[in-house]
Amino acid sequence: SSKRSLSFNTCSHACRCNDSFSVATIERLPLGPITILGHGSIGRMFSQLLGDRAVVCSRSTGNWDDRHSITGTVINCTSFGTSVYSSPFNTLPNVSCVVDLAIRDNELKNQCHTTATKYVAGIEFYRCQFKYQFELYTGIALTSEEINSI
């Protein structure tokens, strides 16, 4: 795979996702429509990586209410489930998969469990991001086992 990196501005540092991570994440998404919830830095990153495969629902784009009628896969890039326990949905729409970038248990995870909807926790994204940035800034390559033990 290519060693080229894609750069995205997040907060005060650059979020970099190497192609192998980006491709692996996107290849794991089921075929069909993809909706990205949130248009902050991570939402914009996924939007750029997915291109025409995805639509963004956010307050800033003026289509936040459209999230209730989506199908396919959802990538939750909002603060719902991170800063608050609540879900971006009152009732989970008829979706096949939820990629939730929150790293703690939350209502969205419970909604997926209750409806038998596939749920992918955000911890995997953040572990990969940590691994990449740690090596970038220290020159030390960590194994997945080392990261999982932290």
Side-chain angles (χ1 to χ4, degrees):
S1 86
S2 169
K3 296 294 184 188
R4 180 177 60 90
S5 292
L6 301 172
S7 297
F8 304 93
N9 291 328
T10 61
C11 305
S12 61
H13 62 280
C15 173
R16 297 175 178 268
C17 296
N18 64 25
D19 283 347
S20 61
F21 168 75
S22 304
V23 170
T25 300
I26 291 169
E27 283 180 349
R28 283 191 251 168
L29 297 177
L31 294 177
I34 298 172
T35 302
I36 300 165
L37 300 182
H39 200 238
S41 57
I42 294 178
R44 286 191 307 271
M45 176 193 70
F46 276 107
S47 178
Q48 184 177 351
L49 290 171
L50 291 164
D52 292 341
R53 256 188 96 183
V55 65
V56 174
C57 287
S58 102
R59 290 180 186 94
S60 66
T61 58
N63 64 347
W64 182 239
D65 290 338
D66 293 351
R67 74 192 186 284
H68 297 295
S69 59
I70 60 175
T71 60
T73 298
V74 173
I75 302 174
N76 179 31
C77 301
T78 69
S79 62
F80 286 105
T82 300
S83 65
V84 294
Y85 180 79
S86 59
S87 169
F89 303 106
N90 295 327
T91 303
L92 189 66
N94 186 24
V95 296
S96 58
C97 178
V98 172
V99 177
D100 187 7
L101 295 184
I103 57 173
R104 65 179 186 169
D105 287 345
N106 58 58
E107 183 59 28
L108 182 55
K109 181 178 180 179
N110 291 340
Q111 289 172 327
C112 290
H113 178 73
T114 301
T115 60
T117 301
K118 182 178 180 178
Y119 179 85
V120 180
I123 192 69
E124 295 309 316
F125 170 81
Y126 294 109
R127 283 179 177 152
C128 185
Q129 180 64 27
F130 172 77
K131 180 180 180 181
Y132 181 79
Q133 284 189 328
F134 189 83
E135 183 173 357
L136 178 70
Y137 293 113
T138 67
I140 301 168
L142 297 174
T143 65
S144 295
E145 292 76 24
E146 290 170 319
I147 291 170
N148 291 338
S149 70
I150 297 175

